[in-house]
Amino acid sequence: MTDPALGTAPGPGSGPAGGAGTETETDPEALRERALSTLVTARDRTTLLTSCVEEPDLTAQHSPLMSPLVWDLAHIGNQEELWLLRTVAGREAMRPEIDDLYDAFEHPRSERPSLPLLAPGEARAYAAEVRGRVLDVLESTAFHGTRLTEAGFAFGMIAQHEQQHDETMLITHQLRTGPQALTAPDPEPAPLFTGPSEVLVPGGPFTMGTSSEPWALDNERPAHVREVAPFWIDTTPVTNGAYQAFIEDGGYGDARWWAPEGWAHIRRHGIEAPLFWRRDGGQWLRRRFGVTEAVPPDEPVLHVSWYEADAYARWAGRRLPTEAEWEKAARHDPADGRSRRYPWGDADPSPHHANLGQRHLRPAPAGSYPAGESPLGVRQLIGDVWEWTASDFLPYPGFAAFPYKEYSEVFFGSEHKVLRGGSFAVDPVACRGTFRNWDYPIRRQIFSGFRTARSQAAA
């Protein structure tokens, strides 16, 4: 998702934990606990990402594509103050003089290191003071009366915003050079997946998006019916091993597979493999959070652009799924025609459903998490890698910007492609079966992969 963003939502009748149609939605104390928990979880992660390196790494710009980590830290606090203290609670501004510095639309990332940013210690103190006051506001907020406070939306929005910036900071950690700063256990070993390579998704209507998920963001709304023709979709994301076959077959040197803009881009920049890969003799190596390792063939491929995903799909005689196809594969239950919150049902994600929340610092092997598969048997639609789709980022019928047009509306159009499903770097609060991410088709620093599809008529 682009930098200024927050984020996302499920269809009518989909009942989230803490969401539509549940006791939690109307129980103020349960809502308060949910809001508190998600805010604390986000801040704990922010603290980890900004305390594991020394001050020079916090203030440096590790890539012109990214902000200094210290900018993200203060921006998180500033957005929390703007929305929860000033807008929800009606309090006076704490630091109005810094609003411009941390307005993502005022200053592109490449300019942010030259701004008079708060120093790390001051940024931490500011974010902590904001949070202390927010917790007081949370204790007394009535979760009704305004659209912002209904069901705790504003608190959920800010928790999602912080988690999205935590993912951005994790990308910065991947881009930085130097020794390893972050560690996490690897995903549980999984037996080699031997199931079918693709699944048939039946044609017909389904409910896309949501009008009932209380913390869904504006671009996921409203729920509406989409008609989708029958199609086949990969059971798992495309793996490193499969992608290597594309490389070894000369895929990066054959213009037949590439969109014209993609071909021009890879030739101009000398791109011959996913970002962070390099060939060493007869094997491929990759750099992952400061560690160089052999590319694991059974993991979903990571750090590829939309152009690379599209070229692979063409080479394989397939295509990328549309956004509607992806969501139908993820949410549609053919037994009752209902759209679920998640592929496995309406329950919030747990560790046996999906690889989320920076619990691991890599994707799990393709075919992992059988408990998280969709009713049709498609796996790993949530977590592991963001999945590029064929679709431009466009509004749903009846879209209305809320609470501000800069979250989604200003990005609609053909310049951005939609990604779905989340990655290992996404927290569950910012990942649903309806959640929509978007980015430029050249972007590769994000935790992006893909799966392919084909129309039934192509069988």
Side-chain angles (χ1 to χ4, degrees):
M1 198 172 299
T2 53
D3 179 72
L6 284 172
T8 339
S14 57
T22 69
E23 182 181 351
T24 305
E25 182 191 11
T26 56
D27 178 355
E29 293 314 307
L31 279 170
R32 225 177 300 282
E33 178 57 35
R34 181 172 173 82
L36 175 63
S37 175
T38 54
L39 288 170
V40 169
T41 297
R43 186 52 48 88
D44 287 346
R45 186 178 177 194
T46 299
T47 300
L48 170 66
L49 289 163
T50 56
S51 63
C52 63
V53 291
E54 299 298 325
E55 185 166 320
D57 273 326
L58 292 176
T59 56
Q61 186 173 48
H62 298 282
S63 165
L65 297 173
M66 311 304 291
S67 308
L69 292 169
V70 73
W71 185 92
D72 287 288
L73 175 58
H75 171 77
I76 286 167
N78 186 243
Q79 288 294 295
E80 189 166 329
E81 185 200 345
L82 284 170
W83 286 103
L84 299 185
L85 296 185
R86 300 187 205 175
T87 306
V88 171
R91 297 189 179 185
E92 293 294 318
M94 291 170 55
R95 300 285 300 269
E97 75 279 4
I98 69 172
D99 287 352
D100 176 75
L101 296 177
Y102 298 101
D103 184 330
F105 280 91
E106 288 294 323
H107 306 286
R109 291 175 177 179
S110 59
E111 295 179 3
R112 292 172 191 170
S114 64
L115 300 174
L117 302 177
L118 300 183
E122 193 176 7
R124 287 193 185 97
Y126 168 63
E129 184 176 0
V130 170
R131 175 55 58 85
R133 298 185 186 189
V134 162
L135 296 183
D136 290 340
V137 169
L138 178 60
E139 282 298 310
S140 59
T141 296
F143 297 116
H144 58 80
T146 72
R147 191 172 170 191
L148 265 178
T149 56
E150 187 70 33
F153 174 81
F155 296 93
M157 178 183 77
I158 288 301
Q160 291 177 77
H161 174 265
E162 182 162 355
Q163 286 287 2
Q164 288 168 348
H165 275 274
D166 288 341
E167 182 177 7
T168 298
M169 289 194 283
L170 189 63
I171 292 169
T172 301
H173 274 279
Q174 169 64 8
L175 287 163
R176 65 178 282 276
T177 58
Q180 181 179 21
L182 292 166
T183 60
D186 286 341
E188 289 293 319
L192 183 66
F193 180 68
T194 57
S197 62
E198 60 179 354
V199 168
L200 177 64
V201 180
F206 84 105
T207 299
M208 185 172 185
T210 185
S211 297
S212 61
E213 180 99 8
W215 287 4
L217 303 170
D218 62 4
N219 62 62
E220 299 169 272
R221 300 175 181 270
H224 59 286
V225 174
R226 288 284 183 99
E227 186 80 25
V228 175
F231 68 98
W232 294 85
I233 191 166
D234 289 339
T235 308
T236 71
V238 170
T239 64
N240 290 320
Y243 198 85
Q244 284 179 39
F246 167 67
I247 297 173
E248 302 305 331
D249 195 45
Y252 280 88
D254 193 333
R256 289 181 297 164
W257 313 129
W258 296 82
E261 300 86 354
W263 178 248
H265 180 74
I266 67 162
R267 304 304 287 177
R268 184 182 313 117
H269 295 279
I271 294 171
E272 298 179 335
L275 188 61
F276 307 116
W277 285 31
R278 65 177 176 87
R279 197 190 294 271
D280 182 30
Q283 69 172 339
W284 284 99
L285 303 178
R286 70 176 180 187
R287 180 169 60 82
R288 184 177 60 85
F289 298 107
V291 175
T292 298
E293 61 190 14
V295 171
D298 58 343
E299 280 186 15
V301 68
L302 191 61
H303 297 302
V304 289
S305 69
W306 183 90
Y307 289 126
E308 289 169 293
D310 179 63
Y312 173 95
R314 296 183 196 212
W315 169 81
R318 298 171 69 83
R319 59 177 175 79
L320 295 179
T322 67
E323 182 181 13
E325 287 174 334
W326 188 97
E327 187 167 328
K328 184 167 187 180
R331 299 183 61 215
H332 178 66
D333 187 345
D336 59 13
R338 180 175 169 275
S339 289
R340 300 174 166 194
R341 287 184 78 211
Y342 296 99
W344 56 85
D346 294 339
D348 285 340
S350 70
H352 73 284
H353 287 132
N355 180 8
L356 292 166
Q358 199 181 310
R359 193 171 64 248
H360 312 296
L361 290 172
R362 64 194 305 157
S368 297
Y369 304 106
E373 71 179 19
S374 75
L376 296 169
V378 187
R379 295 198 180 184
Q380 290 170 289
L381 287 155
I382 298 294
D384 286 306
V385 294
W386 284 108
E387 298 185 16
W388 288 109
T389 72
S391 299
D392 297 335
F393 184 49
L394 299 172
Y396 290 161
F399 167 84
F402 178 77
Y404 57 101
K405 67 180 182 179
E406 289 83 6
Y407 178 62
S408 301
E409 185 174 321
V410 298
F411 299 103
F412 290 145
S414 60
E415 288 189 351
H416 297 93
K417 295 294 186 181
V418 174
L419 303 100
R420 300 298 296 263
S423 72
F424 64 86
V426 174
D427 187 80
V429 75
C431 184
R432 296 171 286 278
T434 53
F435 195 93
R436 307 173 76 196
N437 191 0
W438 65 93
D439 216 324
Y440 293 110
I442 63 171
R443 290 290 185 247
R444 309 199 310 154
Q445 83 278 12
I446 58 178
F447 300 114
S448 53
F450 64 100
R451 72 181 73 217
T452 68
R454 64 184 175 97
S455 302
Q456 188 180 33

